[in-house]
Amino acid sequence: MGFAAAADTAVAAAALCKADLATYTVTEMTALAGTMGRHYAQVQGLPDDVSTAIFEAVLPRQAGDILPASPAGIVVAVADRLDSLVGLVAAVGAPSATADPYGLRRAAYGMLQVS
């Protein structure tokens, strides 16, 4: 499946990729973000490609982590990081050489790894 064919899947996944952050499980154990989103999507009967893209939206979580493999997962992961970068730079400015309290450099690095 190419990127054009994955557009509908990416739109469905993007609408739900942050929903798991509102759950108590993910609030208490943030490492489960994405994993629980995939599980909730599967329980709701969503297609496997949508639940996979929901999980892949948080990848990579740290340096050396696995990368999104599906086209929809790549699109959602890059779009999420780009949205965070643009919003935070507009709100607080670019990070300095000594301080990056909002993780802007990490988000940018993760976006570059994916693309």
Side-chain angles (χ1 to χ4, degrees), residues 22-75:
T23 65
Y24 184 73
T25 304
V26 175
T27 302
E28 289 296 315
M29 296 172 275
T30 57
L32 293 176
T35 302
M36 293 309 297
R38 176 177 53 189
H39 173 72
Y40 296 142
Q42 290 169 340
V43 168
Q44 289 296 314
L46 294 174
D48 286 339
D49 53 348
V50 173
S51 61
T52 298
I54 290 171
F55 168 69
E56 290 179 340
V58 299
L59 299 178
R61 294 167 286 209
Q62 70 265 346
D65 198 10
I66 60 174
L67 299 174
S70 71
I74 292 169
V75 168

Side-chain angles (χ1 to χ4, degrees), residues 6 13 16 24 46 62 64 89 99-100 106 114-115:
L16 298 170
Y24 184 73
L46 294 174
Q62 70 265 346
V89 167
D100 186 18
R106 186 176 56 247
V114 170
S115 50

